[in-house]
Amino acid sequence: MDERTAILSRMFIVLGLILLIPTALGFQLIRINYFEGDELRTLWSKQAIDQIPIPAQRGNIYDANGTLLATNAVDYKLAFDPKVQVNGKIGVPQEQVAQLIKKLSSLTGRSAAEYQSKIRSAPPHSRYIVLERNLSVLAKDEINALNIKGVILEENYRRKYTFGSLAAHTLGFVNHETNGRIGLEAHYNDELKGEDGLRQVRRDPFNRIFEYIGAPKKLPRNGYSLHTTIDAYLQAILEDELRSGVEQHLARYGTGIIMDPKTGAIKAMANYPTYDPNFPGSDDEENRRNFAISDMIEPGSTFKLVTAIAAVEQGVVEFDEVFETPEDGEVVIHNLILRDHDPLGDLNFQEVIQKSSNVATAEIAMRMKKETFYQYARNMGFGSETNVDLIGEVSGRLAKPYEWSLVTLPWMSHGYEIQTTPLQIAQAYAAFANNGMMMRPYLVERIEDKNGSIVKQHKPVEIRRIAKKSTLNKLLPVFESVVTDSGTGNLSQVDGLRIAGKTGTAKKVVNGRYTNNYRGSFVGFFPVEDPQYVVFILLDEPKTSGYGGFTAGPIFRNIAMRIAGLDDDIQRSIKSVDEFPAPQFVKAPFVTGLSKDQAKLLLSNLDVPHDFSGKTGYVTAQTPEAGSPLNKGQKISLTLSETYAEADSASVKEGYAEIPELRGMNMRSAMALVSELELNSEIIGSGTVFAQYPKAGELLREGYTVTLRGKAKSLEILTQVSDR
């Protein structure tokens, strides 16, 4: 083969290869279009079509009166594209950028320099610079009115809590995916969330989404709405008074609950400090904790309700029985010292509860078997969850009897060696107020769909009977006496409103040891004749005083007064002071030891006729004697002593004072009399003076201290109103 032939052969080969490529391409086109075209077009269609969710709207939350507490709100995210084409040129003119920044600054209150900095610090080729995330609808409209190119406005849906922090711990909040985290939002998340819908869209090669006409669509099912038992008015009262009490007593936190004892409906539940569920991350995590259901506490003397019910029902105590407590207020039980808050002297059963004697309560409890006492505590709901419809409830701790030590029973009798939640205590007193029937606490009355049709209706749930009605009828006046001048709950009184309840004071345990920090509490219900409200108040580590009667009691009183002002039924049942008839004494009051003016004022106020023998001094004798029956209009004759007259003052050394007879006087009068003699007074207990030091007739240097020991003397001087 010559060289020319070889070259031609190679050219034919190359030409043949060149012709083969379009032939192959043509064959492929024919195959794709005619032989496999339908299948490939179907495959492309499947790959280009996608489904995206249509978000469901979360259900609303309402209070008991239909007030909207939580709903959904729309706001707008504003982004800016500085590279958009304007009038044939790339980039937004600077005067328009300045106009946008100025308007944003006026709408949000932020400085124009802040927005300018965001634009300047963005990457050079950035075409999506976020300037603001939460613009309102009105702000969005004003931005749109500027008609500036490059402005990008995107809708965002968020959860809105209408009244900010109101009922925050009950409502809870949602996360960025609008899923409930705590409170009702979490417990009823499935009901509130609804079901997202679906829609078909097309995606181009750049993954951009396009809708097309006739695309299949599944509409979302919007979430159901909750109608709660919360009363926004009562909730506001509770939060206001709780905040005031925490700040006044410098407490670490406070907790409050208002319940309907007949149904178990929770009318209000609050903690302070609190947080705003619209911005849950702006407060400490501790502020989001619902202490009413998640905090385990030793309840202190509020737990004496268990002891009282068990003792009366088991017949181990008599109401007229007298308990002799030590003069120093201390008793040793199995080598541990048990103390009363003050030496209380001799007490009957009512006074044991009224004065809150730990010593006498322990004595009563030790008359029962530990298994019996345990069963009553368990029966009253302690040691088990209340099953309220909230996330995060704990059961507390009630040890089994075989786990008890030798001192568990006497200490548990007054609220130690047991851990409860505030809601458990409120539930127990609600059962007491409800004639012994314990109801399950709840917060949601009904669930409705978007059309107002009821999906679920709550019916009050009876749990069990905690005691016989006869037992509770006997105990009702005992716990009502706590809220009197002679009781530890005297600062909880509301004029004209009958209240029964109990104070509680308990040392806190830190790292397994009791500290000098206290929790003070008060729980009560009213009106006693037809209980409508149970209110529990607790302050953690109040600095002014550890006693619940002093710290939590006044908070309860203020709440009760404000509730009474809103409740027409209670308003009608309350009689003003002027409506009560004049007191009718069954026994003569004790006035021995009072000055003439003091005795005259006391007897005049009580509308008791009287006369005096003598010109001045103090009452040394009275006829009839204190405690004697008095007929209507019967006169009391009082004998005055000249002992303290000026004519006889020479018999007392200069700089000294002679101690008068103070026994039988009420504590306030005795203190006033001691002060008039330029002496100081030390008070132990309250009520009526039954012991004093120094004794009457002894001399004491001016400025020194007289010790007064008091206790209730109800049978001798208390009045009895016929219709109360």
Side-chain angles (χ1 to χ4, degrees):
M1 182 182 296
D2 58 14
E3 183 177 351
R4 181 173 177 275
T5 303
I7 292 173
L8 289 174
S9 298
R10 286 195 291 269
M11 289 178 63
F12 281 119
I13 293 172
V14 172
L15 182 62
L17 291 174
I18 292 173
L19 293 174
L20 183 62
I21 292 174
T23 302
L25 290 176
F27 177 76
Q28 284 292 85
L29 289 173
I30 294 171
R31 183 183 64 84
I32 291 173
N33 280 280
Y34 295 100
F35 295 101
E36 300 179 9
D38 292 339
E39 294 181 5
L40 292 174
R41 276 188 287 271
T42 302
L43 179 61
W44 172 84
S45 181
K46 288 181 179 180
Q47 292 175 341
I49 294 176
D50 196 3
Q51 290 183 331
I52 62 174
I54 304 174
Q57 291 294 305
R58 195 170 179 85
N60 295 330
I61 302 178
Y62 300 89
D63 87 334
N65 304 308
T67 303
L68 187 61
L69 299 177
T71 187
N72 304 301
V74 62
D75 57 26
Y76 293 85
K77 180 169 66 175
L78 187 151
F80 183 59
D81 177 6
K83 305 297 183 182
V84 72
Q85 191 175 56
V86 181
N87 298 327
K89 296 181 180 180
I90 300 299
V92 180
Q94 287 302 312
E95 59 270 19
Q96 292 187 12
V97 175
Q99 185 183 7
L100 173 64
I101 290 174
K102 182 179 179 181
K103 174 59 72 173
L104 266 178
S105 179
S106 67
L107 292 172
T108 64
R110 297 185 180 183
S111 67
E114 182 178 346
Y115 294 115
Q116 188 68 53
S117 176
K118 286 185 177 182
I119 295 174
R120 288 177 178 173
S121 61
H125 301 290
S126 177
R127 301 196 62 176
Y128 190 85
I129 305 170
V130 177
L131 298 181
E132 195 60 56
R133 293 186 181 276
N134 297 301
L135 286 177
S136 68
V137 176
L138 294 178
K140 182 264 297 185
D141 291 340
E142 291 194 38
I143 294 294
N144 273 335
L146 298 177
N147 196 26
I148 296 175
K149 287 191 175 182
V151 172
I152 304 168
L153 288 164
E154 299 176 351
E155 283 186 346
N156 291 318
Y157 288 95
R158 61 180 176 84
R159 196 66 163 161
K160 180 181 179 182
Y161 299 91
T162 315
F163 299 102
S165 62
L166 186 77
H169 295 91
T170 302
L171 297 177
F173 63 92
V174 298
N175 61 12
H176 65 285
E177 296 178 338
T178 65
N179 285 316
R181 301 298 300 161
I182 61 174
L184 294 174
E185 293 276 26
H187 190 274
Y188 290 97
N189 187 61
D190 291 341
E191 291 84 350
L192 288 165
K193 191 174 180 63
E195 296 179 2
D196 290 344
L198 289 173
R199 61 174 174 167
Q200 281 191 355
V201 295
R202 290 188 181 275
R203 293 184 184 272
D204 68 5
F206 300 99
N207 205 34
R208 291 178 297 188
I209 296 175
F210 298 92
E211 294 195 50
Y212 62 95
I213 298 174
K217 182 183 296 185
K218 177 187 175 184
L219 296 177
R221 180 187 64 78
N222 291 333
Y224 298 137
S225 293
L226 306 183
H227 289 260
T228 71
T229 60
I230 295 294
D231 187 315
Y233 295 103
L234 301 187
Q235 182 72 33
I237 290 172
L238 177 61
E239 291 186 12
D240 184 42
E241 295 298 339
L242 192 64
R243 174 193 56 78
S244 178
V246 168
E247 293 176 352
Q248 177 184 352
H249 297 289
L250 306 175
R252 194 169 72 89
Y253 72 81
T255 294
I257 301 168
I258 301 177
M259 282 182 65
D260 180 347
K262 297 179 180 179
T263 64
I266 297 176
K267 299 293 186 181
M269 179 182 287
N271 299 273
Y272 186 82
T274 185
Y275 73 100
D276 187 345
N278 291 301
F279 311 100
S282 61
D283 288 288
D284 293 338
E285 184 177 354
E286 187 75 359
N287 291 355
R288 302 198 294 267
R289 181 179 172 87
N290 190 350
F291 294 102
I293 62 171
S294 62
D295 196 20
M296 293 198 299
I297 63 172
E298 289 185 304
S301 292
T302 55
F303 195 75
K304 288 175 181 175
L305 175 64
V306 177
T307 307
I309 289 177
V312 172
E313 197 147 271
Q314 291 296 309
V316 299
V317 66
E318 298 293 337
F319 277 73
D320 57 356
E321 181 179 358
V322 176
F323 296 87
E324 299 179 0
T325 63
E327 287 192 10
D328 59 1
E330 296 182 358
V331 66
V332 178
I333 301 177
H334 297 295
N335 297 322
L336 286 180
I337 298 176
L338 177 61
R339 297 182 178 88
D340 279 334
H341 54 87
D342 289 307
L344 298 174
D346 296 344
L347 307 167
N348 60 32
F349 177 69
Q350 175 169 308
E351 291 171 331
V352 169
I353 302 300
Q354 182 187 81
K355 302 291 185 181
S356 199
S357 171
N358 298 333
V359 172
T361 302
E363 178 185 339
I364 293 170
M366 288 189 293
R367 297 175 180 178
M368 292 178 278
K369 294 180 179 180
K370 59 184 180 181
E371 292 81 8
T372 301
F373 189 87
Y374 168 84
Q375 191 56 52
Y376 274 94
R378 188 77 177 181
N379 200 42
M380 293 177 66
F382 297 104
S384 59
E385 295 180 9
T386 66
N387 292 314
V388 66
D389 43 349
L390 285 175
I391 293 292
E393 183 185 20
V394 298
S395 61
R397 187 177 187 278
L398 175 62
K400 300 291 194 301
Y402 62 80
E403 299 175 301
W404 292 10
S405 69
L406 294 175
V407 297
T408 296
L409 180 56
W411 259 258
M412 190 182 291
S413 69
H414 60 279
Y416 284 89
E417 293 207 24
I418 180 174
Q419 291 182 314
T420 72
T421 65
L423 184 57
Q424 286 175 341
I425 300 171
Q427 182 187 37
Y429 277 82
F432 180 20
N434 193 35
N435 292 317
M437 181 55 69
M438 179 178 287
M439 308 299 294
R440 177 177 296 168
Y442 70 100
L443 280 156
V444 173
E445 191 68 55
R446 66 184 185 277
I447 301 175
E448 294 183 353
D449 64 16
K450 65 178 182 179
N451 299 317
S453 299
I454 296 177
V455 176
K456 184 179 180 180
Q457 177 76 50
H458 177 86
K459 295 182 180 179
V461 178
E462 295 181 350
I463 300 177
R464 71 180 70 88
R465 176 164 294 281
I466 66 168
K468 299 175 183 177
K469 289 185 179 180
S470 59
T471 300
L472 300 179
N473 289 337
K474 294 176 184 177
L475 286 172
L476 193 58
V478 173
F479 283 83
E480 188 176 359
S481 73
V482 172
V483 193
T484 62
D485 289 337
S486 300
T488 56
N490 62 313
L491 296 180
S492 306
Q493 298 178 79
V494 176
D495 289 341
L497 181 62
R498 293 178 60 191
I499 298 170
K502 188 69 188 74
T503 55
T505 306
K507 284 188 173 184
K508 287 186 64 176
V509 175
V510 178
N511 297 326
R513 299 178 64 88
Y514 284 103
T515 66
N516 288 324
N517 295 321
Y518 290 83
R519 288 189 178 101
S521 60
F522 183 88
V523 57
F525 54 86
F526 59 90
V528 167
E529 56 271 24
D530 183 21
Q532 302 293 321
Y533 303 93
V534 173
V535 180
F536 174 88
I537 300 295
L538 178 138
L539 295 186
D540 185 76
E541 296 186 19
K543 301 298 186 297
T544 55
S545 172
Y547 293 115
F550 182 80
T551 57
I555 300 174
F556 175 95
R557 177 195 62 215
N558 294 338
I559 292 171
M561 289 175 62
R562 294 176 67 175
I563 290 177
L566 293 174
D567 194 305
D568 292 337
D569 292 334
I570 294 180
Q571 280 289 308
R572 285 191 289 268
S573 68
I574 292 179
K575 293 183 178 181
S576 67
V577 176
D578 294 337
E579 288 179 296
F580 287 115
Q584 301 296 316
F585 272 89
V586 291
K587 295 186 178 181
F590 192 102
V591 294
T592 301
L594 297 180
S595 67
K596 180 179 179 180
D597 291 341
Q598 289 172 329
K600 186 175 182 179
L601 179 62
L602 173 63
L603 295 174
S604 297
N605 288 340
L606 298 176
D607 198 24
V608 176
H610 56 278
D611 57 22
F612 293 96
S613 297
K615 296 181 179 180
T616 186
Y618 292 80
V619 177
T620 59
Q622 67 179 77
T623 304
E625 296 181 353
S628 301
L630 280 180
N631 297 320
K632 186 175 181 179
Q634 184 177 354
K635 183 180 293 186
I636 295 181
S637 298
L638 306 174
T639 301
L640 297 176
S641 171
E642 300 279 330
T643 304
Y644 301 98
E646 292 187 18
D648 298 330
S649 62
S651 61
V652 180
K653 295 181 181 180
E654 185 176 354
Y656 284 79
E658 184 175 348
I659 306 300
E661 177 61 69
L662 303 172
R663 291 177 299 175
M665 298 175 62
N666 66 67
M667 192 66 74
R668 183 176 298 176
S669 299
M671 291 172 62
L673 178 54
V674 170
S675 179
E676 289 177 8
L677 298 175
E678 298 187 6
L679 299 171
N680 298 322
S681 55
E682 178 185 5
I683 307 303
I684 300 175
S686 61
T688 303
V689 178
F690 77 93
Q692 68 178 81
Y693 179 82
K695 296 179 179 180
E698 295 185 7
L699 300 181
L700 187 65
R701 185 183 295 275
E702 293 176 356
Y704 277 51
T705 300
V706 177
T707 301
L708 305 173
R709 190 184 299 274
K711 69 174 181 179
K713 207 168 181 66
S714 57
L715 295 180
E716 294 184 8
I717 63 172
L718 287 182
T719 62
Q720 181 180 16
V721 181
S722 60
D723 62 346
R724 296 186 73 181

